[in-house]
Amino acid sequence: MTRRTALSSPGTGKPGRIATVLEHEIRSGVLGFGDRLQSENELVQRFSVSRNTIRKGLEELSSRGLITTKVGIGSFVTFDGMPVDDAVGWSRALANAGANADTRTLRLEVMQDAELAARLGVESPFFIAVDRVRSNADDGHAISIERSRLPLSPELEDVPLRGLREGSLHQTLRGAGLVPDHGEEWVDIEMLSAEDAAILDCAPGATFLRTRRLTRAADGRAIEFVTSLLNPAHFALHLEF
């Protein structure tokens, strides 16, 4: 169960009150030296405020000399050793990393998935499914499969009919005003099913890197959930700390 904390200090702004609560926990020993604070998502839920308010509260706590932040900490996927900056879109990111990839759309339609809707915290069980496979343009060997699920919304309802803007999901989302602000990503490995192996022209059971990425808008609204199967001959997970 998520712990919730009421903010009760009349005359003090919410960021200052959040900083004061966390300062008390640090000074009282609830949080020890070197301990990590809760994630921004957890703090948003705990204090029932916006992400921007949490960030201001953490800035205030930092100004009091009680916490430090490390820029660049995190993990990212690489292609042939080069970082893949998917903030510019996956196709362009692969091209920037040196991949010579052909992209083929396997599916672009409305689907229903009540389980995913519950997982993402969206009311409607309807999503736009965008499935694509990428292969090397020179010899055709498999690079990746990506299966994106976009919560169906008025901004996107005509996408299955008119297609992706300039063939790019990145451009389509931004053209609809849906700009990712934050998210989560999970990485593991998966043995290819017979269906995926046939699509990728690989042996069933071959090991691929699997990433599952959820992006949200600044207001917390889910924008995209994408599951990718990545050929480990090219892709790796790089961690910085």
Side-chain angles (χ1 to χ4, degrees), residues 16-33:
R17 282 179 270 166
I18 290 169
T20 297
V21 170
L22 296 176
E23 178 180 1
H24 174 74
E25 292 179 356
I26 293 169
R27 295 192 183 281
S28 65
V30 174
L31 290 171
F33 177 79

Side-chain angles (χ1 to χ4, degrees), residues 133-174:
V133 60
R134 302 182 197 270
S135 57
N136 183 277
D138 295 325
D139 60 17
H141 74 262
I143 292 179
S144 67
I145 292 179
E146 297 114 43
R147 294 186 170 98
S148 294
R149 301 295 179 260
L150 317 173
L152 187 61
S153 65
E155 300 98 325
L156 298 174
E157 60 186 4
D158 63 340
V159 169
L161 295 176
R162 62 177 173 80
L164 300 178
R165 182 175 180 178
E166 300 177 13
S168 167
L169 181 54
H170 176 81
Q171 294 296 332
T172 300
L173 291 172
R174 277 155 181 74

Side-chain angles (χ1 to χ4, degrees), residues 162-208:
R162 62 177 173 80
L164 300 178
R165 182 175 180 178
E166 300 177 13
S168 167
L169 181 54
H170 176 81
Q171 294 296 332
T172 300
L173 291 172
R174 277 155 181 74
L178 301 175
V179 180
D181 176 78
H182 61 280
E184 302 173 79
E185 187 166 19
W186 302 264
V187 181
D188 55 19
I189 60 172
E190 181 170 297
M191 307 300 185
L192 291 183
S193 65
E195 178 186 357
D196 288 337
I199 293 172
L200 291 164
D201 195 22
C202 294
T207 302
F208 266 55

Side-chain angles (χ1 to χ4, degrees), residues 13-209:
K14 288 182 179 179
R17 282 179 270 166
I18 290 169
T20 297
V21 170
L22 296 176
E23 178 180 1
H24 174 74
E25 292 179 356
I26 293 169
R27 295 192 183 281
S28 65
V30 174
L31 290 171
F33 177 79
D35 286 352
R36 288 180 180 270
L37 293 177
Q38 292 171 287
S39 69
E40 285 188 0
N41 282 339
E42 291 170 329
L43 292 172
V44 164
Q45 295 181 33
R46 176 182 172 185
F47 291 103
S48 300
V49 296
S50 70
R51 180 174 296 272
N52 189 50
T53 298
I54 290 297
R55 288 175 178 170
K56 290 180 179 178
L58 295 178
E59 288 174 3
E60 171 65 23
L61 197 62
S62 179
S63 71
R64 298 180 189 181
L66 293 170
I67 63 169
T68 60
T69 57
K70 294 183 179 180
V71 178
I73 190 169
S75 61
F76 54 88
V77 172
T78 63
F79 181 89
D80 289 347
M82 297 294 293
V84 178
D85 179 14
D86 56 5
V88 298
W90 192 242
S91 295
R92 184 179 298 178
L94 286 177
N96 291 344
N100 184 19
D102 279 336
T103 302
R104 179 165 55 96
T105 299
L106 305 173
R107 184 183 188 190
L108 179 57
E109 63 184 8
V110 175
M111 60 167 287
Q112 187 172 354
D113 191 333
E115 182 177 345
L116 180 59
R119 179 179 176 184
L120 302 187
V122 299
E123 294 183 3
S124 172
F126 293 100
F127 293 83
I128 297 175
V130 185
D131 296 356
R132 292 166 295 175
V133 60
R134 302 182 197 270
S135 57
N136 183 277
D138 295 325
D139 60 17
H141 74 262
I143 292 179
S144 67
I145 292 179
E146 297 114 43
R147 294 186 170 98
S148 294
R149 301 295 179 260
L150 317 173
L152 187 61
S153 65
E155 300 98 325
L156 298 174
E157 60 186 4
D158 63 340
V159 169
L161 295 176
R162 62 177 173 80
L164 300 178
R165 182 175 180 178
E166 300 177 13
S168 167
L169 181 54
H170 176 81
Q171 294 296 332
T172 300
L173 291 172
R174 277 155 181 74
L178 301 175
V179 180
D181 176 78
H182 61 280
E184 302 173 79
E185 187 166 19
W186 302 264
V187 181
D188 55 19
I189 60 172
E190 181 170 297
M191 307 300 185
L192 291 183
S193 65
E195 178 186 357
D196 288 337
I199 293 172
L200 291 164
D201 195 22
C202 294
T207 302
F208 266 55
L209 188 68

